[in-house]
Amino acid sequence: MDFFLKENSNFTPFSTEHLLTVLFFIFVGIILISITKQQTKKTQIKIGNIFAFSISITVILGTFIKLYKGNFNYQEDLPLHLCSFLAIIIPILSCTRKFIYYEVFFFLILAGTMQSLITPDESNFLNFPFFRYWFVHAGLVIFMLFATFIYKMRPNLKSVAKSFLAMQAYMLLMFTLNYFLGSNYFYTNRKPDAATLLDLFGEWPKYIFVVELIVIPYFLLLYLPFYLTRKKN
């Protein structure tokens, strides 16, 4: 158990283990959605709820393990980074299946969380922090595809604007909390220590303004396949 909870630095981004981890979750996502599509609607809803709550519980469990081990740092370990925050509230979508939650979560997760899969800032490998990071981040992406194909929800052009506004509200909240806590949630005060795409956008606060400028075009790019499909139909 100590090995499973003990942190290490055995994971290297853009390595074989990184590629295999991504391929594994792609396989899991395809299998999960394919099997669920063959089930009754009631069973589909049950599977969606179990999946969503398992993502949320994993984040909460990770927080309690930090507390148990005595190395919890409120400036770093509260579940307030965007991916952790979305993971905690994702059951709202699975339980209600309301479109407003889907359209806001869709772009935030596919734009933000997917980047965490491409440029992970997690160095642990084959321990709880590793499984927590990858199950939560990959799970969020898989769940939004699950909602798209199983709940048959599709974003529209207004969804882009709603998701952008939700991101602004979240950013303002994090700016405020970071000011009082001395923290760096949502990376509003500095870039993450690991190499990420933010490194391409300059130092603070330049990278924040660059992200603000490119986020809507990025959302629109994610929306493009849905737009083309609607136009064709």
Side-chain angles (χ1 to χ4, degrees):
M1 180 61 71
D2 182 61
F3 167 79
F4 189 62
L5 297 179
K6 186 177 180 180
E7 298 194 6
N8 61 57
S9 301
N10 298 334
F11 181 87
T12 304
F14 311 112
S15 61
T16 301
E17 59 262 27
H18 184 183
L19 176 61
L20 291 176
T21 302
V22 172
L23 290 176
F24 171 78
F25 280 104
I26 290 174
F27 176 76
V28 168
I30 292 172
I31 294 299
L32 175 66
I33 293 172
S34 298
I35 292 177
T36 306
K37 287 182 73 173
Q38 303 172 19
Q39 309 303 314
T40 63
K41 186 175 181 179
K42 183 178 180 179
T43 302
Q44 289 176 347
I45 292 172
K46 186 179 295 185
I47 292 173
N49 284 336
I50 292 172
F51 187 27
F53 274 100
S54 66
I55 295 172
S56 181
I57 290 170
T58 300
V59 172
I60 296 170
L61 179 61
T63 303
F64 277 106
I65 287 177
K66 283 275 188 178
L67 288 166
Y68 170 76
K69 292 174 63 179
N71 60 350
F72 179 84
N73 183 348
Y74 71 89
Q75 293 180 325
E76 297 178 358
D77 298 326
L78 290 172
L80 293 177
H81 280 300
L82 181 62
C83 297
S84 296
F85 181 75
L86 289 171
I88 287 179
I89 64 175
I90 199 69
I92 295 175
L93 172 57
S94 71
C95 290
T96 66
R97 296 175 300 287
K98 288 187 176 180
F99 182 66
I100 181 62
Y101 300 125
Y102 168 84
E103 57 184 345
V104 169
F105 292 169
F106 182 86
F107 291 103
L108 292 179
I109 288 174
L110 263 66
T113 305
M114 194 174 292
Q115 294 304 317
S116 298
L117 303 178
I118 299 171
T119 57
D121 61 356
E122 178 58 66
S123 61
N124 284 280
F125 187 57
L126 297 182
N127 56 5
F128 178 78
F130 169 82
F131 288 111
R132 176 194 179 279
Y133 182 92
W134 286 96
F135 178 69
V136 169
H137 289 81
L140 284 171
V141 174
I142 293 171
F143 185 81
M144 292 317 300
L145 297 177
F146 182 96
T148 300
F149 291 105
I150 302 301
Y151 301 154
K152 294 181 172 56
M153 295 179 175
R154 302 291 187 276
N156 54 48
L157 196 55
K158 290 182 179 179
S159 304
V160 173
K162 292 177 183 178
S163 194
F164 177 76
L165 291 174
M167 191 185 91
Q168 303 312 301
Y170 181 76
M171 183 180 292
L172 288 174
L173 176 61
M174 291 304 104
F175 265 120
T176 304
L177 286 175
N178 288 335
Y179 175 79
F180 288 105
L181 297 178
S183 52
N184 189 36
Y185 295 111
F186 202 38
Y187 306 118
T188 60
N189 292 337
R190 65 182 183 277
K191 293 182 290 186
D193 296 330
T196 67
L197 289 179
L198 292 180
D199 293 330
L200 302 176
F201 304 151
E203 297 302 319
W204 185 93
K206 181 180 178 181
Y207 69 86
I208 295 177
F209 293 110
V210 173
V211 169
E212 287 288 278
L213 288 174
I214 68 173
V215 69
I216 289 184
Y218 189 15
F219 284 1
L220 289 172
L221 184 63
L222 292 171
Y223 171 64
L224 183 61
F226 297 96
Y227 171 78
L228 294 175
T229 301
R230 281 196 177 97
K231 191 175 181 180
K232 183 177 180 180
N233 291 338

